[in-house]
Amino acid sequence: MKETDKLPDKPLSVWPLGITYEIFVQSFYDSNGDRIGDFNGLTQKLDYLADLGVEAVWLMPIMPSPSYHKYDVTNYIEVHEDYGTLQEFKNFVEKAHERDIKVIIDLVINHTGIGHPWFVKARQKDPIYRDYYIWSDLDSVAEQINKKEVTGDSDNILQWHALDEDPEGEHYYGFFWGGMPDLNFDNPKVREEIYQIGKYWLSEIDVDGFRLDAAKHIYPEERATDNHNFWKEFRSEMQQVKEDVYLIGEVWAPTEVSAPFTQGLPALFNFDLAYSIIGSLKNERSVSAVIAGSSWELEEGVTLIEGLIRNEAAFRRQNPDFINATFLSNHDQNRIGSMLGGHQEKIKIAASILFTLPGSPYIYYGEEIGMLGQKPDPYIREPFLWDIKKEDSGRTTWQRPSYSTDTTLMPLQQQKKDDNSIYAHYKKLIALRRNSEILTLGDISEIVTESMGLLAYRRSYHNESLLVIHNLTDTAITYPVEGNSYEVIMSAPETIKLDKDGVVIPGYASIVVK
């Protein structure tokens, strides 16, 4: 291993621009043999995460819920018994902090579960809790449908749900489904409840921040300003407890819609960039992508880097300190490995792109070993493969995997022995980034090449710069490099060399040059 492939004693990257690792606790590591991942399992694997080089973990929902995914919360100040006790979670947070790893948890406040005591009392017409949710009778719902004025992001009657399965009676609003009734944030008591919940996790449990689920839907889409103002107020309230609280929002929308949210949410996930990376690798052209409705499409005539620069500029106009949270895939999307057809070299180059672009990179658990998965959702959240099955005492078995199995994927322990594995590639890239102020903090400018098959850009910081080139095709391409004052910082494969005529970049290869 080269010296630059090792993690620095003191990283040059600066949180929150460091690397975050998203974990579905249920699928990560089972410490007690009950088939389900747990907090003690997370604690046991902290050394693995520290060695990998991540600087924070984001945990998908950990609060009590009747669903495996736990996005329909029934108690905001407890943890799910399948995962362990609150004390075991506090121990995990403490041990993570000892390793300089931050802990971010999913906070699901757009809606509760129907089993939450607030909703149980609301459906009984309790005078306090009734107004915690949004209600309408059937005639009003029908009238709104007819006038296309239904509250919410669409005029779909399926977002209104009959109470007690009485189609002629009262309905409550639930944007996502009937098991998740939306909270009424016009009620100041609801807002205060939510603020106290956030403060509890920050002060009593010492988490470092929150990933805010469905941040776009606190108020209906036509009340965008109310949404923006709510998140500004939420952040202000959280800063009363922890000044440096980290908030990252899920706002899945075009740039012009999502940018104003950064007034209160200083970090947002960059969905456009994720799709651009995938589209570029699938098409083997350095193209950009935009969200179109609920899907996405390639943006003709715009390169990936041009799209990224436009996107960042729009966000920084709203918040100069905006944090661009970059990723390849997450728990709501088909895994990057499957989207690239399991192509090992394309999976590697996707990581090479992610870790050499600006922003704060996120790794979805298992991406570092090339895990596969396609919807429905349980199959993009399959168990992590630590070792071959007969040796893997901590592998969770809450569901039988269809994509990431011993026959489709080399488990972690085997990849650790292979210098050409996806895991080895991730380790190399993470160390590269953590050793580089330029890659962590630097600006980006596009380099236009004669071939759309090359993705090339310059990263610059304090009068120093790096040249980054990725070959998105399966054919070697020569890139001319003038002069002789160049040093290869990283190449994959390592055999790429510079000479007086430039550099020949093999198919699906990357090089970083100082």
Side-chain angles (χ1 to χ4, degrees):
M1 177 180 284
K2 295 179 181 178
E3 192 62 32
T4 53
D5 291 348
K6 298 176 182 177
L7 291 175
D9 293 332
K10 180 173 174 41
L12 298 177
S13 57
V14 179
W15 175 257
L17 292 177
I19 296 163
T20 303
Y21 190 92
E22 178 190 359
I23 299 176
F24 181 39
V25 180
Q26 182 140 325
S27 287
F28 200 58
Y29 192 83
D30 173 15
S31 71
N32 59 9
D34 69 353
R35 304 174 60 244
I36 294 173
D38 47 54
F39 299 133
N40 287 338
L42 288 179
T43 304
Q44 290 178 31
K45 289 302 177 183
L46 277 169
D47 286 339
Y48 164 72
L49 295 171
D51 180 67
L52 181 62
V54 303
E55 296 161 77
V57 293
W58 153 30
L59 305 183
M60 288 171 60
I62 59 173
M63 298 167 192
S65 160
S67 303
Y68 87 93
H69 53 71
K70 300 174 180 57
Y71 278 98
D72 46 348
V73 177
T74 56
N75 187 336
Y76 279 112
I77 56 172
E78 255 298 344
V79 294
H80 200 289
E81 61 182 3
D82 286 350
Y83 290 175
T85 67
L86 194 57
Q87 184 55 48
E88 287 168 341
F89 178 66
K90 290 177 74 171
N91 180 63
F92 163 72
V93 174
E94 179 182 334
K95 297 301 182 185
H97 287 165
E98 288 176 3
R99 293 163 175 82
D100 293 323
I101 295 176
K102 306 286 187 181
V103 178
I104 302 158
I105 63 171
D106 233 308
L107 190 60
V108 187
I109 60 172
N110 174 73
H111 49 263
T112 69
I114 56 174
H116 194 287
W118 297 347
F119 191 74
V120 172
K121 294 175 182 177
R123 71 191 304 165
Q124 296 169 349
K125 300 189 177 181
D126 181 286
I128 295 176
Y129 292 99
R130 180 69 173 179
D131 197 38
Y132 273 39
Y133 298 88
I134 303 163
W135 302 90
S136 183
D137 58 46
L138 181 62
D139 289 341
S140 295
V141 171
E143 182 179 352
Q144 291 177 69
I145 292 295
N146 291 333
K147 292 183 177 180
K148 299 185 181 298
E149 294 176 353
V150 169
T151 302
D153 288 359
S154 91
D155 55 358
N156 189 342
I157 196 170
L158 296 179
Q159 291 171 346
W160 288 96
H161 309 279
L163 190 63
D164 299 322
E165 298 183 353
D166 176 8
E168 301 299 322
E170 288 185 306
H171 285 59
Y172 61 91
Y173 186 73
F175 180 82
F176 292 100
W177 69 293
M180 295 176 173
D182 280 34
L183 286 165
N184 175 19
F185 281 86
D186 281 324
N187 184 341
K189 292 181 180 178
V190 169
R191 296 196 299 275
E192 186 56 34
E193 293 265 24
I194 295 303
Y195 300 150
Q196 292 307 313
I197 289 164
K199 291 174 181 178
Y200 166 80
W201 287 98
L202 293 173
S203 62
E204 299 299 319
I205 312 301
D206 200 25
V207 301
D208 299 283
F210 306 112
R211 179 263 185 183
L212 286 315
D213 181 68
K216 174 187 170 189
H217 301 289
I218 298 299
Y219 292 94
E221 189 169 21
E222 63 269 19
R223 295 176 61 185
T225 301
D226 290 332
N227 270 316
H228 308 153
N229 288 338
F230 168 77
W231 289 116
K232 285 191 284 187
E233 186 173 304
F234 180 87
R235 185 186 187 194
S236 176
E237 291 282 341
M238 297 307 104
Q239 287 177 323
Q240 293 176 16
V241 175
K242 189 167 287 192
E243 177 63 29
D244 62 348
V245 61
Y246 178 75
L247 304 179
I248 179 165
E250 179 204 29
V251 181
W252 198 334
T255 298
E256 64 271 16
V257 175
S258 54
F261 280 85
T262 63
Q263 299 168 30
L265 296 172
L268 294 179
F269 291 107
N270 194 328
F271 289 94
D272 283 359
L273 178 63
Y275 296 142
S276 291
I277 293 172
I278 296 162
S280 291
L281 287 168
K282 291 178 76 169
N283 292 278
E284 301 192 350
R285 298 171 65 244
S286 55
V287 292
S288 185
V290 291
I291 294 175
S294 60
S295 61
W296 64 280
E297 60 186 26
L298 297 180
E299 191 172 6
E300 287 299 324
V302 179
T303 64
L304 185 153
I305 302 304
E306 185 180 355
L308 171 63
I309 291 172
R310 284 186 189 178
N311 177 277
E312 284 216 333
F315 283 99
R316 296 204 186 283
R317 283 194 291 270
Q318 298 285 339
N319 180 352
D321 299 319
F322 165 68
I323 300 166
N324 197 345
T326 59
F327 67 102
L328 298 174
S329 59
N330 64 25
H331 65 280
D332 282 327
Q333 300 163 321
N334 293 334
R335 280 187 173 271
I336 182 69
S338 287
M339 285 189 283
L340 297 177
H343 192 298
Q344 299 287 292
E345 298 312 310
K346 285 192 175 185
I347 292 171
K348 289 180 183 179
I349 200 171
S352 297
I353 295 170
L354 177 70
F355 290 112
T356 54
L357 289 176
S360 176
Y362 278 68
I363 304 169
Y364 184 35
Y365 80 95
E367 280 181 347
E368 76 275 24
I369 59 172
M371 280 183 64
L372 307 171
Q374 298 188 76
K375 285 177 174 285
D377 286 349
Y379 296 103
I380 54 178
R381 305 166 185 174
E382 292 182 342
F384 190 98
L385 276 62
W386 296 97
D387 204 341
I388 57 174
K389 195 168 186 179
K390 64 181 181 180
E391 302 291 338
D392 199 346
S393 60
R395 186 185 302 191
T396 70
T397 56
W398 67 275
Q399 74 155 346
R400 184 175 181 177
S402 293
Y403 292 93
S404 293
T405 69
D406 287 76
T407 59
T408 64
L409 189 71
M410 185 186 293
L412 173 67
Q413 283 305 115
Q414 279 59 55
Q415 292 202 27
K416 283 186 172 183
K417 303 170 186 175
D418 180 1
D419 290 341
N420 294 314
S421 68
I422 293 172
Y423 168 77
H425 188 68
Y426 265 78
K427 282 272 289 182
K428 177 180 185 177
L429 285 162
I430 292 170
L432 170 71
R433 188 176 184 96
R434 292 192 66 181
N435 274 297
S436 173
E437 283 187 307
I438 299 175
L439 290 178
T440 301
L441 304 173
D443 295 329
I444 189 169
S445 57
E446 184 173 22
I447 297 174
V448 178
T449 69
E450 293 182 358
S451 171
M452 284 294 290
L454 286 185
L455 176 63
Y457 42 93
R458 190 176 304 279
R459 300 294 313 279
S460 303
Y461 186 68
H462 285 179
N463 299 318
E464 292 190 320
S465 65
L466 295 175
L467 170 66
V468 183
I469 311 171
H470 308 284
N471 185 350
L472 308 178
T473 76
D474 62 357
T475 304
I477 300 176
T478 299
Y479 180 85
V481 178
E482 298 177 359
N484 54 15
S485 58
Y486 290 90
E487 176 189 357
V488 177
I489 300 299
M490 188 282 292
S491 67
E494 292 186 356
T495 54
I496 303 177
K497 302 294 182 184
L498 287 172
D499 61 31
K500 60 182 178 60
D501 297 320
V503 56
V504 178
I505 306 173
Y508 307 127
S510 300
I511 187 169
V512 180
V513 178
K514 186 174 181 179

